[in-house]
Amino acid sequence: MEPEKMRHRWPLVGRGGDLREFNRILVNPRFRGFVISGPAGVGKTRLAEELLALAAHRGLTTKRATASSAAGMVPLGAIAHLLPPGVDLSDPAKGFASVVSALDPRRSRWAAFVDDLHLLDSASALLLRQLMAAKIVWLIATVRSGEPVSEAVQALMDEERVHGYSLGELDLPQTEQVLHTALSGPLSRRTVASLFEASRGNMLYLRELVLGALNSRALRQEGGIWELDEQQPLGSARLTELIDGRLATVPPEARPLLESLALCGTLALADAHGIASPETVADLERSGLVTVSVDQRRRLVRFTHPLYGEVLRAGVPALLRRARLKEQVDRIVATGARRHDDALHIATWSLGATGTADPALLMRAALLARHAHDYHHAVALLEALPTEHRTIESQMLLGDSLFELGNPDRAEAALAQAAALATTDGEKLGVAFTRAMSLFWAGNSTSKALEVLEDASNNLAGPDERMMLQVCRGALCAISGEPSEALVLLEHLEDLEIGPSEVAHPGIWAVGAMMRPAARALTGTAVSAVEDAEHAYELHQRVDAQALILHPAGQLVSLVLALAEAGRLPEARETGQRAWEALGQVNNPVTSIWLAYHQAHTEWLAGRIQTAHRWYTECAAQSRTHGNQRALRLALSGLAAANALLGDVSAAEAVENEARKSPLMGYRTGEEVLGTAWLYAAQGHLTQARSVLQEGARAARAGGCLASEALLLTDIARLGGAKDVAGRLTELAALCEGDLAKARSLFARALAAGEPEQLMDTAEALELLGADLLCAEAATVAASAWQRRDQSRKAAMAVQSAQSYLGRCEGARTPLLTSSTSSAAPLTPREQEIALLAAAGTASKDIADALGLSVRTVNNHLHHVYGKLSITTRKELADHLKVPFTGG
């Protein structure tokens, strides 16, 4: 993507309501103007240009003028080029009347765009008011909020005929929408959060950040997802120019303070007064460059926008940087360095100033950084430790931080050093746990992780240590295909909870507490899993304040899974968003990968297929980027299935080919066949699709994964096998907690019976869960059944319901939606399958070979289909079934 081309087509997204508002105002004869106000960089000019284009589309002649401080010194200087030639303006009153007369509204109606109206001279403002009153000019203007304006401009803005519109900065969803449109593809959630935080929703800054990141290759598309390299600085030459212009008016005596703020981020007000006078600090606050806020009992000074510090920091010379950092370290040390985060600041700034720092201080700082889940910072501090000062604690912390960053090889090297230094049982247990987690989650090796735990079990004889190792093994079993065994091993997890905010060995407890709800949800006790996950998240937050454990968002991943399997899909979706907000800009690949996967799975269950496609894409892209294979096969299978339901068969084939090359890792056993099955279905091969799903369902049942078995059996019902699976789904409904299992059983039984009333009752039950695609399928089949019974009114109501449900399914197409017909006689399952294959352009001989039939039998079935549908050709068949026709 070429950045400079993007500069000229930066999208106007999130402003659709603004355009609709303008259209409404434009056709209202009561109004003669539209003034857009807002802070710098929020997109006022960009929006005004769109409004001007809309006015031109409505037949108005468009004119443009830009007010400026220089033009404001000359009466009519900004709009002189808009005036008719030859008008004598020596007498303003007569001259203005002459302008109005010369611009007869019967011959000319303008839409005049005035940028920066607050800088317009008074004479121009007065003339514009007269032209608006004469219905010659329709004004579109921008005003920077907070800037002083003349009385004439204020009077123009206060006109009853002028509609004022305040334009704010983008929020996070709008920022994501802008970025997705500008880059023609989705971004990882961490990348969106980083760009939103850096730009603070300022449209101009956002654009320059993206253009700069594209130029420097810091922003790259990997596997369909745009990802920002957080280790590269953000910015562009244009952005530097913009912010330098903002900083150019700063007096010399304020410069040292701004440089220190740029290097240190935040300063205590007392420290700021040690660098610049209180008057200078107050002037900077009044100018909008810095803000003074209260944090508990401290008053802190920081830039009003983080990019001011980014740009200024890049321009500080090395020697001056060293001096400023050392000065700030000396200030904190002189006051006793009593604050909780002083160690982190002193160590970081000392490293920046001299390249070295006190080893004890480095270790304390690394602990603080790891506690804040700032893994990159923790690694940098720990790797700065001299070799002779590296201890088991430092190497364990380094290995843990590297694991969280998704770097298992470097983590294993650090943890091997820690293992060589371990002497006590507690140390050996800690090293074994961290090694096992890194090897399993980031290193993709279940066998190596279990081997580490087994070796530790042979060397640790204490009952407490053995119990901890049992919890570790249980956590691994939960996600490697043995959820029932996991529940046995995690049975006594509560024994580790020794108080309302305290647990024994917090790291091990946190992993066990995260994985037990997952095992429960997979084995059919989803309601209990929800309660378990909610308790784990609440306790984790309290423990997190005291111990170095995984990010609390990890517990929310399990809660998303549990809510979805319980049939509480909207809550699962909302919880996923909470988890992303909790992660923010934290680079934690393992948590991000699994959160993306469970978000995708939730949307798949809901039938929001494009959204599921987006999350499967992010999960797969992150997995490839970090070499993490544990979720890759499932993500690719889901992505192939989503492509198939969206009608992109070629994309589904490509992704499914990649999926088959990825290893099976045991989680959600059986669901790896979803991509293959739905690809078969999209190609019309329903028998093969059902066969593949049946194979997956058997594997899920054998592995004790009842949630996966129920999903796969439901898909068999959707593809023509309802009578074959209704009985087992009824059994699962009795075995499993939650409304989803019951609704699936109702759905299969209703399809098998073909009773429209039962189908509509099922649709209503599914709607309560948020399973819109199943609702649409049930209502569509019901409509067809009623139509065949000549109950057209009920059929029409069912069609209306189906369309309402389908409107939330983002373009999904399934055989039930395309094959249900309004013919007097329904198609049999065999006729439906042959019809889909024929509509896809498959020759009769190929259909016969695929289904084990004779060509004559296939043609006889097609003859019956044509008769039932009152058609004569395969092209008409494809049109009737609403599938692409690829035959000749």
Side-chain angles (χ1 to χ4, degrees):
M1 179 170 293
E2 298 181 42
E4 286 311 307
K5 287 185 178 180
M6 181 187 291
R7 184 186 300 278
H8 300 294
R9 63 174 187 85
W10 189 255
L12 183 78
V13 180
R15 308 302 194 193
D18 308 340
L19 297 177
R20 289 190 294 272
E21 177 78 354
F22 175 73
N23 253 327
R24 184 181 66 81
I25 297 297
L26 185 62
V27 299
N28 189 335
R30 177 170 167 262
F31 292 102
R32 299 302 307 163
F34 197 94
V35 175
I36 308 163
S37 62
V42 296
K44 301 185 298 297
T45 301
R46 180 74 178 85
L47 175 59
E49 288 171 344
E50 291 291 326
L51 305 186
L52 193 65
L54 284 176
H57 183 69
R58 289 191 169 273
L60 275 68
T61 302
T62 58
K63 306 284 185 178
R64 301 174 62 102
T66 300
S68 65
S69 299
M73 302 297 292
V74 180
L76 303 177
I79 65 170
H81 62 290
L82 305 180
L83 304 181
V87 176
D88 182 5
L89 295 173
S90 58
D91 182 341
K94 291 182 179 179
F96 286 7
S98 299
V99 170
V100 172
S101 177
L103 299 173
D104 187 341
R106 291 170 296 182
R107 291 183 284 107
S108 177
R109 291 183 66 230
W110 297 357
F113 168 30
V114 180
D115 208 7
D116 290 335
L117 184 69
H118 53 282
L119 298 175
L120 194 68
D121 64 278
S122 297
S124 295
L126 182 59
L127 178 55
L128 281 174
R129 285 186 68 189
Q130 292 190 22
L131 292 173
M132 291 162 61
K135 298 184 178 180
I136 295 171
V137 166
W138 219 102
L139 178 66
I140 301 168
T142 65
V143 176
R144 183 179 298 177
S145 55
E147 296 289 334
V149 298
S150 67
E151 290 184 8
V153 171
Q154 190 64 55
L156 172 62
M157 293 167 56
D158 291 342
E159 276 269 5
E160 288 186 5
R161 292 167 294 181
V162 174
H163 184 81
Y165 194 89
S166 179
L167 192 62
E169 292 171 331
L170 300 171
D171 59 19
L172 181 61
Q174 288 173 331
T175 300
E176 183 169 17
Q177 189 182 4
V178 167
L179 292 168
H180 190 145
T181 303
L183 295 166
S184 301
L187 299 85
S188 73
R189 280 304 295 260
R190 185 192 62 80
T191 294
V192 173
S194 296
L195 289 170
F196 175 69
E197 177 62 26
S199 67
R200 297 284 175 88
N202 184 297
M203 183 78 89
L204 177 59
Y205 289 170
L206 181 65
R207 182 184 70 179
E208 294 305 323
L209 285 169
V210 169
L211 296 177
L214 288 171
N215 271 323
S216 67
R217 298 284 297 159
L219 183 62
R220 298 186 299 274
Q221 193 174 33
E222 302 285 351
I225 292 287
W226 288 94
E227 186 72 40
L228 185 67
D229 183 351
E230 64 179 350
Q231 297 304 297
Q232 291 195 45
L234 289 170
S236 69
R238 171 64 175 151
L239 184 60
T240 300
E241 179 185 327
L242 288 168
I243 293 177
D244 279 345
R246 182 83 171 88
L247 300 173
T249 58
V250 172
E253 61 270 19
R255 198 77 183 183
L257 172 58
L258 295 184
E259 290 166 348
S260 295
L261 276 175
L263 295 170
C264 301
T266 302
L267 295 175
L269 182 60
D271 290 339
H273 287 163
I275 302 171
S277 69
E279 293 77 13
T280 298
V281 176
D283 287 343
L284 289 173
E285 186 179 21
R286 277 192 293 271
S287 71
L289 281 174
V290 305
T291 182
V292 179
S293 59
V294 178
D295 180 11
Q296 296 180 347
R297 291 183 296 173
R298 301 178 75 189
R299 301 183 71 189
L300 302 175
V301 182
R302 57 172 56 89
F303 281 114
T304 54
H305 200 289
L307 288 178
Y308 296 163
E310 289 274 355
V311 170
L312 192 56
R313 181 164 56 250
V316 178
L319 291 178
L320 183 59
R321 175 188 299 257
R322 176 174 178 168
R324 294 278 183 253
L325 289 172
K326 189 174 184 306
E327 289 166 1
Q328 186 56 24
V329 168
D330 291 343
R331 288 188 195 96
I332 294 181
V333 172
T335 58
R338 296 183 300 272
R339 301 289 182 184
H340 173 70
D341 54 359
D342 280 347
L344 179 60
H345 291 152
I346 292 172
T348 302
W349 297 336
S350 295
L351 280 178
T354 65
T356 61
D358 176 69
L361 199 60
L362 284 171
M363 187 61 191
R364 285 176 56 199
L367 285 166
L368 289 170
R370 169 60 183 84
H371 187 270
H373 306 288
D374 188 352
Y375 308 115
H376 278 298
H377 198 172
V379 168
L381 291 164
L382 290 164
E383 290 185 335
L385 277 170
T387 303
E388 64 271 19
H389 289 279
R390 295 181 181 179
T391 64
I392 181 173
E393 290 82 6
S394 71
Q395 295 313 99
M396 281 186 61
L397 188 60
L398 178 60
D400 172 73
S401 298
L402 289 167
F403 150 58
E404 294 286 6
L405 287 171
N407 197 324
D409 293 336
R410 292 178 62 198
E412 181 64 13
L415 292 169
Q417 294 175 15
L421 297 170
T423 55
T424 69
D425 282 355
E427 291 173 345
K428 293 175 182 176
L429 172 66
V431 173
F433 164 68
T434 307
R435 286 187 70 193
M437 292 301 108
S438 180
L439 288 166
F440 180 85
W441 290 104
N444 308 305
S445 180
T446 303
S447 60
K448 288 182 180 179
L450 290 174
E451 183 180 330
V452 166
L453 295 179
E454 183 64 26
D455 288 346
S457 180
N458 293 333
N459 293 315
L460 299 174
D464 290 342
E465 285 75 16
R466 286 184 170 276
M467 180 184 176
M468 296 297 181
L469 291 171
Q470 177 178 310
V471 171
C472 294
R473 285 195 297 272
L476 302 191
C477 286
I479 201 168
S480 55
E482 299 180 276
S484 298
E485 176 66 14
L487 291 177
V488 174
L489 294 170
L490 296 171
E491 183 179 4
H492 301 293
L493 185 64
E494 282 82 5
D495 293 349
L496 300 185
E497 299 177 15
I498 56 180
S501 301
E502 187 177 359
V503 296
H505 207 304
I508 293 177
W509 168 85
V511 172
M514 179 175 66
M515 298 318 304
R516 190 171 67 176
R520 283 181 167 168
L522 295 174
T523 54
T525 54
V527 174
S528 302
V530 170
E531 297 171 357
D532 209 4
E534 288 175 337
H535 169 73
Y537 178 61
E538 291 168 4
L539 181 54
H540 190 131
Q541 289 181 297
R542 296 194 294 271
V543 173
D544 189 51
Q546 308 165 32
L548 302 178
I549 53 180
L550 59 85
H551 197 286
Q555 305 292 356
L556 290 178
V557 176
S558 293
L559 183 55
V560 171
L561 164 62
L563 287 167
E565 295 303 336
R568 295 159 63 177
L569 297 175
E571 292 176 72
R573 181 181 299 116
E574 181 184 345
T575 301
Q577 294 303 317
R578 282 172 53 204
W580 286 116
E581 290 168 8
L583 275 177
Q585 300 177 67
V586 172
N587 185 3
N588 188 319
V590 172
T591 302
S592 297
I593 285 168
W594 285 104
L595 180 53
Y597 172 75
H598 285 100
Q599 285 276 95
H601 192 74
T602 297
E603 300 301 352
W604 173 265
L605 295 178
R608 300 189 178 186
I609 303 303
Q610 288 186 13
T611 305
H613 185 284
R614 179 254 181 275
W615 288 117
Y616 281 131
T617 300
E618 174 154 354
C619 178
Q622 294 278 358
S623 297
R624 294 189 200 97
T625 297
H626 297 286
N628 192 313
Q629 295 182 328
R630 196 154 289 280
L632 182 58
R633 178 69 177 268
L634 286 173
L636 291 172
S637 180
L639 184 57
N643 278 319
L645 262 65
L646 292 171
D648 193 344
V649 174
S650 60
E653 289 174 335
V655 175
E656 183 57 23
N657 286 335
E658 182 184 358
R660 292 193 186 102
K661 299 173 185 175
S662 301
L664 294 172
M665 304 302 287
Y667 182 61
R668 300 201 73 109
T669 301
E671 288 189 36
E672 67 277 355
V673 306
L674 278 175
T676 303
W678 282 102
L679 176 57
Y680 274 139
Q683 295 168 331
H685 299 289
L686 300 188
T687 298
Q688 289 95 323
R690 291 194 298 270
S691 176
V692 166
L693 289 167
Q694 193 65 256
E695 182 182 339
R698 284 193 292 268
R701 184 174 184 175
C705 191
L706 302 188
S708 296
E709 183 189 2
L711 183 151
L712 296 164
L713 293 177
T714 303
D715 283 358
I716 291 174
R718 298 167 71 189
L719 296 177
K723 293 180 180 179
D724 299 327
V725 300
R728 176 56 182 167
L729 281 171
T730 300
E731 293 175 7
L732 288 172
L735 292 170
C736 297
E737 298 175 352
D739 294 330
L740 181 58
K742 296 179 179 63
R744 283 168 165 163
S745 172
L746 289 173
F747 178 71
R749 295 204 309 268
L751 285 176
E755 288 296 327
E757 292 87 354
Q758 191 176 346
L759 285 161
M760 290 306 297
D761 289 344
T762 300
E764 291 176 5
L766 289 163
E767 184 179 16
L768 295 176
L769 310 184
D772 293 319
L773 187 52
L774 295 183
C775 292
E777 290 176 327
T780 299
V781 177
S784 296
W786 266 318
Q787 188 67 40
R788 290 191 295 272
R789 297 179 184 184
D790 293 327
Q791 297 188 40
S792 56
R793 183 175 179 182
K794 289 184 176 180
M797 292 176 64
V799 167
Q800 185 176 4
S801 296
Q803 290 174 343
S804 175
Y805 300 138
L806 201 55
R808 298 191 287 269
C809 296
E810 304 171 340
R813 294 186 293 186
T814 69
L816 281 181
L817 296 174
T818 58
S819 298
S820 295
T821 72
S822 58
S823 62
L827 300 182
T828 66
R830 178 65 80 188
E831 288 171 348
Q832 178 181 324
E833 184 165 19
I834 290 173
L836 286 170
L837 288 168
T842 308
S844 294
K845 184 179 184 307
D846 294 332
I847 296 175
D849 291 342
L851 301 182
L853 304 173
S854 68
V855 174
R856 181 177 180 180
T857 301
V858 169
N859 288 334
N860 284 338
H861 279 303
L862 278 175
H863 179 72
H864 293 151
V865 169
Y866 289 170
K868 289 179 178 182
L869 303 183
S870 300
I871 59 176
T872 59
T873 68
R874 295 192 180 202
K875 175 66 170 64
E876 290 176 303
L877 178 61
D879 292 340
H880 190 92
L881 298 180
K882 299 181 177 63
V883 297
F885 179 66
T886 57

